[in-house]
Amino acid sequence: MSSITENVARVRAEIERAALAAGRDPQEIKLVAATKMNDAARVREAIAAGVDICGENRVQEMLEKQARGAYEGAPLHFIGHLQKNKVKQVVGLASLIHGVDSLPLLETISREAQKRGLVQEVLLEVNIGAETSKSGFAPEEIPAALEAASAFGGISVRGLMAIPPICRSPDENRPFFLAMRKLFVDNGRKKYDNVSMDFLSMGMSGDFPAAIACGANMVRVGTAIFGARNYDIDK
Ligand SMILES: *Cc1c(COP(=O)(O)O)cnc(C)c1O
């Protein structure tokens, strides 16, 4: 068995353990393989090993790997920071865009989706740690953002996503994960057109069991599946 196959099995087992411990059905947790910097062959291996979804960060890399058939057999999500000038290349290709962090970006996606006659599914990104280095809506901006989104055509908001601050231990992220869970549940109670609070995307290699314990139903895992990324060779 390849290490990717073994790693996916181990991550799955951890997801199952965390879900059961929280009294949840493991099937409701979607495993997104964060595939950045892994080539098409490695991505295909992860799909064969049973990840639910592939998540890419960079538009150019995604297009190149897609041309090599990297994502055949799995849905493709965009999980990176999306610039407005790259929206055209992502709308309709990624079935879900996780990191929609501003109304101007949402509006750009809406315009592009309507031009193509499709509905683009998105998650709103929340800057849950109020970090100046990170983009995303402040928690208190979410109701107004959903209200605005409900008036845009070509958009379906399917939930929320967050990247909490880097912490020394997974447990330090629990307050952020719990705050996200509350935001997700509270905002899910109100009914808006084009909005259904289905997905709460949070948790990465270092902390996905804690995220699941706090209510995540979509985790984005890179290193625990593919091993450490070598940033040097990328430059
Ligand atoms: C890279 C990345 C991940 C996965 O990170 P790991 O720590 O390698 O699991 C998750 N989410 C986003 C947005 C990422 O860019």
Side-chain angles (χ1 to χ4, degrees):
M1 237 198 313
S2 83
S3 63
I4 290 175
T5 307
E6 284 171 4
N7 291 345
V8 169
R10 199 179 47 244
V11 168
R12 278 279 185 215
E14 281 184 60
I15 289 174
E16 184 169 324
R17 211 175 307 129
L20 293 176
R24 302 173 56 198
D25 177 2
Q27 304 283 352
E28 77 181 42
I29 319 281
K30 297 288 170 227
L31 173 57
V32 181
T35 47
K36 59 176 175 279
M37 301 178 67
N38 284 281
D39 64 19
R42 289 169 67 77
V43 175
R44 278 195 294 268
E45 247 184 280
I47 294 170
V51 302
D52 296 308
I53 295 153
C54 294
E56 279 297 347
N57 281 72
R58 294 188 208 160
V59 175
Q60 194 53 40
E61 181 180 341
M62 179 169 79
L63 295 175
E64 283 167 19
K65 280 151 75 172
Q66 203 235 355
R68 295 199 182 95
Y71 313 115
E72 273 161 32
L76 174 61
H77 289 182
F78 190 80
I79 64 174
H81 179 71
L82 181 57
Q83 292 163 303
K84 273 190 281 174
N85 62 1
K86 304 245 169 94
V87 161
K88 273 191 178 63
Q89 291 156 291
V90 176
V91 164
L93 175 57
S95 57
L96 184 69
I97 301 174
H98 286 226
V100 175
D101 56 8
S102 73
L103 286 180
L105 177 60
L106 194 63
E107 195 177 2
T108 306
I109 295 170
S110 161
R111 222 178 300 125
E112 183 62 27
Q114 289 181 91
K115 208 191 293 171
R116 309 245 214 114
L118 53 84
V119 173
Q120 177 65 55
E121 302 194 353
V122 303
L123 303 181
L124 299 186
E125 180 170 359
V126 181
N127 186 356
I128 197 64
E131 296 171 278
T132 50
S133 62
K134 283 201 183 121
S135 51
F137 293 95
E140 61 274 16
E141 291 173 337
I142 290 295
L146 293 174
E147 190 86 55
S150 69
F152 287 149
I155 288 277
S156 169
V157 178
R158 299 295 307 275
L160 303 177
M161 111 40 120
I163 309 172
I166 294 170
C167 291
R168 274 155 299 171
S169 81
D171 281 340
E172 282 180 53
N173 270 336
R174 278 178 185 260
F176 297 117
F177 290 146
L178 289 172
M180 282 301 298
R181 157 97 189 152
K182 183 166 178 353
L183 202 60
F184 180 69
V185 170
D186 289 351
N187 283 285
R189 283 206 186 94
K190 194 155 171 218
K191 293 286 159 251
Y192 302 91
D193 288 342
N194 313 328
V195 176
S196 58
M197 283 291 180
D198 299 316
F199 300 118
L200 180 54
S201 167
M202 60 185 189
M204 320 203 307
S205 292
D207 57 15
F208 67 87
I212 290 167
C214 299
N217 61 10
M218 207 172 250
V219 294
R220 309 175 309 268
V221 179
T223 309
I225 292 175
F226 298 107
R229 292 177 287 274
N230 185 349
Y231 284 94
D232 292 338
I233 57 168
D234 192 49
K235 303 232 167 78

